[in-house]
Amino acid sequence: MTKKERAQIFEQFLEDKYPIVICSLNYQTPFQLLTATILSAQCTDKRVNIVTKDLFEKYPNPFALANANHEDVAAIIKSTGMFNMKTKNIISMAKSLVENHGGEVPSEMDELLALAGVGRKTANVVRGNLWQKPGVVVDTHVKRITKRIGLTTNTDPEKVERDLEKIVKGEKHCDWCHRIIYFGREICTSQKPKCEICGVSHACKYYASL
Ligand code: SF4
């Protein structure tokens, strides 16, 4: 089976299995999605949603967060891990939005990457969910599962992104990544993937090698 065939079978499988997908981070504005995504590094979305409920109540927009006290913010987001660095990043990000973008989140990739705490993964989450812009979100699930299926052999996230953007149409990137994340949580888990009930094992390179 060619990579293209695997990709097509996998894409159809995901669309059938998870017809409706949504971002699992809670947000009401672009600023809130950007902040929540920065906080989600090495943390579950569930935990981030608990923390952002309090955070956004106190700091609902970049103007409020830009003037926040480091210790106050750190105390709220502590349970997301790496909290000192994340606190520094989100306050600095908010300051940049206020100073350079009139308090709005920019949509261009290079402008997003210039913000503290924002890498390609975060930028793609924001661009895809807010503006349906193309960009594969290479998170831990996407990285693991696309390698298992046989859609990439790379481990470097940027190289994985390049491989995957060639096989999935740009307008589908955002939902495709959401679907893989659902699939990764439910079936193709990091430890002991449930291959026997998977549904797409016939197109999986890892399964063929067992
Ligand atoms: S067969 Fe196993 S490794 Fe392959 S996609 Fe399914 S659950 Fe994942």
Side-chain angles (χ1 to χ4, degrees):
M1 191 180 288
T2 66
K3 192 200 276 191
K4 201 175 169 195
E5 285 166 341
R6 284 182 204 287
Q8 281 170 348
I9 292 170
F10 187 48
E11 185 177 324
Q12 190 59 55
F13 162 79
L14 289 172
E15 286 179 9
D16 292 344
K17 189 167 177 65
Y18 307 108
I20 296 169
V21 283
I22 50 160
C23 178
S24 49
L25 292 169
N26 295 341
Y27 65 95
Q28 290 185 336
T29 64
F31 159 75
Q32 292 186 355
L33 176 60
L34 177 56
T35 306
T37 310
I38 293 173
L39 295 180
S40 73
Q42 297 191 27
C43 180
T44 63
D45 290 353
K46 210 170 166 183
R47 166 60 46 193
V48 172
N49 288 337
I50 293 170
V51 162
T52 52
K53 193 168 174 286
D54 292 340
L55 185 72
F56 297 152
E57 210 171 285
K58 202 159 178 202
Y59 311 103
N61 55 52
F63 299 95
L65 188 60
N67 292 309
N69 172 278
H70 181 102
E71 278 68 37
D72 292 347
V73 174
I76 297 173
I77 70 158
K78 194 165 185 176
S79 63
T80 67
M82 303 186 297
F83 64 94
N84 266 322
M85 193 183 71
K86 286 181 181 175
T87 301
K88 226 171 123 207
N89 283 340
I90 60 173
I91 293 176
S92 168
M93 173 274 284
K95 282 185 176 152
S96 299
L97 294 187
V98 170
E99 286 165 15
N100 306 322
H101 302 283
E104 302 291 327
V105 174
S107 63
E108 292 304 317
M109 177 60 94
D110 56 343
E111 290 179 317
L112 281 164
L113 292 178
L115 299 170
V118 179
R120 292 193 65 84
K121 187 182 83 170
T122 297
N124 281 332
V125 168
V126 168
R127 281 162 51 85
N129 284 284
L130 295 176
W131 302 296
Q132 293 74 48
K133 302 242 185 205
V136 176
V137 176
V138 185
D139 82 333
T140 178
H141 296 291
V142 171
K143 203 169 150 182
R144 176 182 76 254
I145 294 168
T146 56
K147 197 166 183 200
R148 282 178 179 165
I149 295 272
L151 305 182
T152 182
T153 51
N154 282 306
T155 47
D156 173 67
E158 200 162 337
K159 288 184 181 160
V160 174
E161 189 184 331
R162 296 285 158 259
D163 286 342
L164 300 179
E165 70 189 7
K166 286 181 205 143
I167 55 176
V168 183
K169 285 192 184 135
E171 67 268 24
K172 291 198 169 187
H173 286 172
C174 186
D175 283 352
W176 187 73
C177 293
H178 281 317
R179 290 187 172 104
I180 295 183
I181 293 167
Y182 281 39
F183 183 56
R185 287 181 182 144
E186 188 191 346
I187 307 280
C188 193
T189 46
S190 166
Q191 307 294 322
K192 294 192 188 151
K194 302 179 180 75
C195 302
E196 64 290 348
I197 57 154
C198 161
V200 76
S201 55
H202 57 293
C204 177
K205 225 172 179 178
Y206 171 87
Y207 189 73
S209 73
L210 291 176

